[in-house]
Amino acid sequence: MKKQYAVIGLGRFGSNLAKALYEGDNEVIGIDIREDRVEEFQHDLSQAFIADSTEEASIKDLGLRNFDVVIVAIGVDMEASILTVVLLKELGVTHIVAKALSKRHGSVLSKIGADQVVFPERDMGLRLAHKLMYPNIIDHLKLSDHYSIEEIKTPASFVGQTIKRMDIRAKYQLNIIAIRHSDEAVTVSPGPDYSLSAGDLLVVIGQNKKLKVLSKLWKDS
């Protein structure tokens, strides 16, 4: 079902998020205090408006309380970010996602009513560090402090082997939940007799410490 999103702050993070949501066949409006940003993205979104999100009169008429999610993606102005979240709560917005610039900023946003706080710069830094340390890992999705899903390249030495022969479930307490092939096709829950091919990417789930052990072994293979 098509959802309605409003993104306040059309900087690098906000504009890319808004365009991705719009390309996902959702109704998306963008809001920014800068006219040049609104003009730049008005054709990439459902609508775009010039407004100061810290002033009730400026955004009350936009009907934000009727949107499924309102994202506060304001860049470097921490005060504006906080005031915007406070105002959105007062207007009755049901779900607010707010971008935080620091741990303290995030803590404040949570306390004043943000339903979800994101740290895009921190998260991107962590993902990059992970890829640099483990170049055989294509993607990493953290599920909790102890569990993750990783998409891992198949080493040349494993090509032609079956999942049963690899036996990573018994050796490392990890599970292969899918295999993405070179043609982008996906095999979900591959059977034990599946034979690995060159270019296969293994989607593996398990404890972070076990994933690190497996990654190092495959890196050295």
Side-chain angles (χ1 to χ4, degrees):
M1 183 182 297
K2 181 181 292 188
K3 289 190 174 183
Q4 293 180 309
Y5 297 91
V7 178
I8 301 175
L10 296 176
R12 186 179 306 169
F13 171 70
S15 61
N16 281 296
L17 173 62
K19 287 191 290 184
L21 290 170
Y22 182 67
E23 289 169 1
D25 196 29
N26 297 290
E27 181 181 345
V28 182
I29 68 168
I31 303 166
D32 201 285
I33 197 170
R34 287 174 48 175
E35 182 178 358
D36 59 328
R37 286 181 176 172
V38 172
E39 290 180 350
E40 180 179 355
F41 299 110
Q42 63 180 344
H43 300 299
D44 298 317
L45 308 173
S46 304
Q47 290 180 288
F49 301 94
I50 304 169
D52 183 347
S53 62
T54 66
E55 295 184 0
E56 182 176 356
S58 297
I59 63 172
K60 191 172 184 180
D61 292 338
L62 296 177
L64 297 183
R65 63 179 300 173
N66 299 317
F67 279 69
D68 295 293
V69 183
V70 177
I71 301 102
V72 180
I74 295 172
V76 297
D77 193 337
M78 191 180 301
E79 181 179 358
S81 167
I82 293 170
L83 291 175
T84 297
V85 171
V86 170
L87 180 55
L88 292 173
K89 291 298 291 186
E90 292 177 349
L91 290 175
V93 174
T94 57
H95 192 91
I96 301 170
V97 177
K99 171 188 173 181
L101 305 175
S102 65
K103 185 177 180 180
R104 179 175 294 180
H105 182 203
S107 177
V108 172
L109 292 171
S110 295
K111 289 179 179 178
I112 62 176
D115 301 284
Q116 183 179 353
V117 176
V118 296
F119 299 82
E121 285 85 2
R122 181 201 66 182
D123 294 344
M124 182 56 70
L126 292 174
R127 288 172 68 87
L128 177 58
H130 200 274
K131 286 189 175 184
L132 291 173
M133 290 187 294
Y134 307 102
N136 58 315
I137 295 175
I138 303 301
D139 204 0
H140 175 90
L141 175 63
K142 180 180 177 181
L143 299 177
S144 70
D145 289 338
H146 303 291
Y147 288 87
S148 297
I149 296 175
E150 291 186 343
E151 191 174 59
I152 305 173
K153 294 179 181 178
T154 299
S157 59
F158 280 63
V159 172
Q161 292 195 31
T162 63
I163 290 178
K164 182 179 180 179
R165 185 178 178 184
M166 289 169 53
D167 203 19
I168 70 167
R169 184 171 185 177
K171 291 179 180 177
Y172 308 107
Q173 295 79 56
L174 299 170
N175 288 290
I176 298 174
I177 58 176
I179 296 176
R180 185 156 65 89
H181 311 291
S182 56
D183 61 358
E184 296 301 319
V186 176
T187 299
V188 179
S189 299
D193 295 327
Y194 180 89
S195 180
L196 296 174
S197 301
D200 280 348
L201 299 176
L202 308 185
V203 183
V204 184
I205 185 172
Q207 288 187 339
N208 295 332
K209 60 182 181 181
K210 299 292 185 180
L211 287 166
K212 287 182 180 179
V213 171
L214 182 67
S215 177
K216 187 177 187 305
L217 288 175
W218 287 15
K219 179 180 177 182
D220 296 339
S221 65

